[in-house]
Amino acid sequence: MRNVSKENITSAFLDYMGDDTDDRLKFILERLAHHLHDFVRETGLTHEEWRKGLELLYNAGEISTPQRNEFILFSDVLGLSSLVDMVNSPDNGTPSSVLGPFHILGAPDVPVGVDLIGNNEGQAVVVGGRVLTPQGDPIKGAELEIWQTADNGLYSNQDTAQPEYNLRAHMRTDADGRYLFSTVRPAPYTVPDDGPVGELLHATGRHPWRPSHLHFIVQADGYRSLVTEVFPSDDPYLDEDAVFGVRNQLVMEYQERTDVNGLPDDLEIKDKLKAPFYVVDFDFVLTKDTGSNQRLTS
Ligand code: BEZ
Ligand code: FE
């Protein structure tokens, strides 16, 4: 097209694509161009603002390393990561929530009832529940990956003072679909705010805090893999998570207990637990695999 205008530039973009372009790619790019072009027309974006945006992206590239992906963090704080999660989350299962950058492969295989507290400081929590189908049937042998921060708000791969796989585990549910472990209460923490994402947060009066949470990946043959997090109901940042990860169904009461009576017998440290401690009861519901499932760990 030799007479490109504000009005026809979006359809010119579509016309430029070859006939053999993959249909889905064509659709996504056409919609992206449509919304981006509308955004520029609607805001009357100035050269200076456009340059500032590109500078933020350039700086995101500069600060990114294999350990720190500032582009994912932009996606997180803009609500994009969570929106992709929600759009792809089936209605009849446990909602998914952000994976975050601190998951690592190779967490030790542990039995149901394991103690993860070891030498960690902090309030003891007993976490347990079942992995179920939407009909409420237990899923035996489902795999759970568990990871969380220590009491100082740092994951083991951020803190050289912690053992390599501290507060990380890989567990399989028992014949009743049960999982169970004792741990310490995770702490709220900030997402990295010393780069361009921090610049955006500060410029818009936002803080970088996430409410404390336990991360889980739950997988079983024939079911969709679930990446999610569980949050305590009394966390001060529950209503202002910097990455929009909180859903009602993922908020759990940390029930304070003073007595070990009633705790399952296969809890490794049942007889050594010092009161008061907390109990978290949370069931995961996995939905049937519709064919698009990707196994997230080996
Ligand atoms: C996390 O929960 O580990 C996380 C998620 C998004 C950004 C940073 C951290
Ligand atoms: Fe996290």
Side-chain angles (χ1 to χ4, degrees), residues 73 76 98-102 155 189 191-192 210 213 215 229 243:
L73 196 55
D76 293 343
V98 288
L99 172 69
F102 301 116
Y155 290 89
Y189 62 85
V191 300
R210 293 214 66 204
H213 50 271
H215 284 278
E229 314 173 272
V243 304

Side-chain angles (χ1 to χ4, degrees), residues 95-259:
S96 60
S97 186
V98 288
L99 172 69
F102 301 116
H103 173 255
I104 49 173
L105 292 172
D109 288 322
V110 295
V112 172
V114 72
D115 175 48
L116 302 180
I117 300 175
N119 296 324
N120 285 281
E121 301 281 330
Q123 292 172 324
V125 193
V126 176
V127 185
R130 292 193 300 163
V131 179
L132 302 169
T133 68
Q135 292 71 39
D137 297 320
I139 304 178
K140 174 189 167 190
E143 288 178 74
L144 282 94
E145 291 259 342
I146 301 150
W147 71 106
Q148 64 166 95
T149 67
D151 194 39
N152 62 2
L154 295 173
Y155 290 89
S156 62
N157 50 350
Q158 294 179 288
D159 181 6
T160 50
Q162 294 181 42
E164 191 180 6
Y165 287 107
N166 194 39
L167 299 171
R168 296 174 186 270
H170 175 257
M171 183 183 294
R172 280 183 187 273
T173 54
D174 69 12
D176 298 319
R178 289 171 61 241
Y179 73 93
L180 177 71
F181 57 98
S182 49
T183 185
V184 290
R185 194 178 166 120
Y189 62 85
T190 58
V191 300
D193 66 340
D194 57 344
V197 167
E199 202 184 320
L200 177 83
L201 292 177
H202 300 144
T204 53
R206 285 175 57 182
H207 66 66
W209 285 91
R210 293 214 66 204
S212 64
H213 50 271
L214 298 162
H215 284 278
F216 292 91
I217 295 176
V218 189
Q219 307 186 90
D221 289 340
Y223 294 88
R224 285 176 68 119
S225 298
L226 171 70
V227 178
T228 196
E229 314 173 272
V230 176
F231 303 87
S233 57
D234 60 353
D235 193 285
Y237 297 107
L238 207 56
D239 288 307
E240 42 191 273
D241 179 4
V243 304
F244 306 96
V246 184
R247 321 271 175 268
N248 264 336
Q249 301 99 301
L250 301 177
V251 176
M252 266 301 102
E253 198 191 333
Y254 276 48
Q255 308 156 42
E256 193 171 325
R257 296 271 176 87
T258 50
D259 189 344

Side-chain angles (χ1 to χ4, degrees), residues 6-79:
K6 284 185 290 191
E7 289 74 29
N8 69 17
I9 190 166
T10 310
S11 58
F13 174 83
L14 185 61
D15 288 346
Y16 281 8
M17 278 191 267
D19 289 342
D20 52 0
T21 308
D22 175 81
D23 283 346
R24 177 73 181 163
L25 177 63
K26 196 170 185 174
F27 174 66
I28 288 174
L29 287 177
E30 192 277 325
R31 290 285 81 198
L32 179 68
H34 173 92
H35 289 290
L36 280 176
H37 293 175
D38 261 1
F39 165 74
V40 173
R41 285 185 285 254
E42 187 186 326
T43 59
L45 199 71
T46 66
H47 281 105
E48 198 187 329
E49 291 159 344
W50 170 76
R51 220 176 282 115
K52 180 69 200 168
L54 292 183
E55 186 187 303
L56 279 181
L57 291 179
Y58 181 87
N59 292 342
E62 286 275 282
I63 206 168
S64 289
T65 64
Q67 288 75 39
R68 173 174 181 172
N69 188 325
E70 196 77 358
F71 293 101
I72 295 181
L73 196 55
F74 261 127
S75 162
D76 293 343
V77 303
L78 289 172

